[in-house]
Amino acid sequence: MPSNGRADLQFYYSERSTKLKPLKIVIILPTFNEAENLPKIVPAILANQIPDLKILIVDDSSPDGTGEIADELAIKYPGQIEVMHRMGKAGLGRAYIAGFNHVLNSDVEIIGQMDSDFSHPPERLPEMIEMLKDADLVLGSRYIQGGGIDEQWPIWRKGLSRWGNFYARSILGIPVKDVTGAYRLWRREFLEKIPFQEVVSNGYIFLVEILHLANINGARFGEVPIYFADRKWGESKMNFRIQREAALRVWQVRWHYRNAKRKSKNE
Ligand SMILES: Nc1nc2c(ncn2[C@@H]2O[C@H](COP(=O)(O)OP(=O)(O)OP(=O)(O)O)[C@@H](O)[C@H]2O)c(=O)[nH]1
Ligand SMILES: [Mg+2]
């Protein structure tokens, strides 16, 4: 990496050396009651100055006015922000499926997923893009060397997150360390191969199920270490009940795909 701490984004140019044209990237930001975070996270993402990067905000009619703030941001950053307004809270999984369907209708080449509450450091994006050179799907990972979770987290939440990850990846046999994180970059041609419309889970298990699908479809994974900060603004919805339900649903996911065989890269 160059001395400014950013990946050199060689990837943009290496695959298309004759054209020197940047790859088209869309980062999908799902929002529900993120009025305080959204106006800060958008400029933080754009500050990477990644050429041809756009943001798609998918808001589920947040009662705190996040949707209107998103529209204002689209005016403030013309051509860089798109907003999708959905009727009522339908969960993280549905928001991502709607976002994926929407961006795949365009000529996007890299599709990103990121929380809008600063848990996912936007400054890691260039490094993640760089890693996509040799991967189909790159994950921001808390559980590889160099990664970590917020020191402020209560011990029970730290323990549950770490254990939950180990549990899910062992049951499903997914060869990455962080299966529940939502900071991800996909190559278009790989995401298109995944029947993500058929993903049955919503909420947090959506993230695990789609990763399992990716693995079954022969994904080449990459992981970039991230430090996962707790949300600074807004209220946390995570609790023990959600985690316990997720633990049971991992078995459902395994059962659902019990007959699927892992494909090799070119199948
Ligand atoms: N569009 C949409 N976005 C959602 C929904 N639920 C959560 N989100 C967004 O998805 C991202 C992740 O959700 P969070 O609530 O931060 O989940 P978490 O990080 O596990 O939990 P806390 O940050 O502790 O509350 C955030 O950007 C949320 O605003 C939803 O039903 N619809
Ligand atoms: Mg969060």
Side-chain angles (χ1 to χ4, degrees):
M1 216 187 282
S3 54
N4 64 7
R6 290 183 180 166
D8 60 7
L9 298 181
Q10 206 46 92
F11 179 35
Y12 279 104
Y13 310 105
S14 57
E15 290 196 333
R16 34 186 73 219
S17 52
T18 50
K19 288 202 239 156
L20 289 180
K21 210 171 142 222
L23 291 168
K24 291 186 194 309
I25 305 179
V26 177
I27 304 295
I28 302 175
L29 274 186
T31 55
F32 190 77
N33 285 349
E34 301 288 4
E36 281 171 293
N37 287 309
L38 191 61
K40 301 182 183 78
I41 193 80
V42 163
I45 295 169
L46 298 177
N48 286 304
Q49 301 196 332
I50 297 168
D52 220 340
L53 177 142
K54 293 188 174 60
I55 298 171
L56 172 66
I57 300 166
V58 183
D59 185 66
D60 279 10
S61 303
S62 300
D64 74 346
T66 303
E68 291 78 62
I69 293 171
D71 290 336
E72 285 162 19
L73 289 165
I75 294 167
K76 188 170 173 190
Y77 301 100
Q80 290 181 285
I81 315 282
E82 203 183 338
V83 188
M84 202 173 180
H85 295 282
R86 287 157 46 80
M87 303 302 288
K89 182 166 166 52
L92 189 65
R94 296 309 108 188
Y96 271 126
I97 289 175
F100 288 158
N101 280 326
H102 183 77
V103 296
L104 287 175
N105 274 326
S106 71
D107 55 355
V108 66
E109 291 163 290
I110 295 176
I111 298 104
Q113 300 174 240
M114 191 194 278
D115 287 358
S116 37
D117 60 359
F118 281 93
S119 286
H120 299 152
E123 67 277 10
R124 303 302 273 187
L125 266 178
E127 205 182 328
M128 288 172 71
I129 293 166
E130 189 65 30
M131 193 174 268
L132 211 49
K133 192 176 172 183
D134 303 308
D136 301 306
L137 170 54
V138 170
L139 314 172
S141 184
R142 294 161 289 184
Y143 301 115
I144 57 171
Q145 193 163 16
I149 33 184
D150 203 306
E151 274 111 50
Q152 307 294 316
W153 269 23
I155 194 90
W156 68 266
R157 192 168 172 191
K158 268 191 192 160
L160 261 182
S161 172
R162 188 172 273 277
W163 184 82
N165 251 285
F166 173 74
Y167 172 92
R169 75 181 146 88
S170 312
I171 288 170
L172 298 173
I174 307 174
V176 296
K177 290 283 190 281
D178 195 338
V179 296
T180 55
Y183 198 6
R184 301 176 175 175
L185 287 187
W186 301 77
R187 271 179 185 252
R188 180 208 177 98
E189 61 273 21
F190 187 74
L191 182 60
E192 270 177 333
K193 279 207 314 201
I194 306 276
F196 57 82
Q197 288 86 351
E198 290 163 30
V199 169
V200 286
S201 334
N202 204 353
Y204 302 92
I205 286 299
F206 166 82
L207 298 164
V208 176
E209 181 174 344
I210 197 168
L211 207 60
H212 186 49
L213 255 181
N215 188 36
I216 289 168
N217 280 276
R220 295 170 305 151
F221 292 107
E223 284 187 275
V224 167
I226 60 157
Y227 178 77
F228 183 97
D230 210 356
R231 61 163 60 247
K232 287 199 187 75
W233 296 276
E235 244 173 64
S236 173
K237 292 138 231 138
M238 184 48 77
N239 60 36
F240 188 72
R241 192 188 54 77
I242 292 177
Q243 301 249 3
R244 191 186 50 195
E245 187 186 325
L248 292 173
R249 293 206 181 276
V250 171
W251 289 100
Q252 270 182 348
V253 171
R254 183 173 147 154
W255 178 252
H256 191 77
Y257 298 97
R258 63 193 176 283
N259 296 324
K261 294 249 162 8
R262 189 175 195 273
K263 291 183 186 148
S264 65
K265 173 81 184 106
N266 297 318
E267 263 178 89

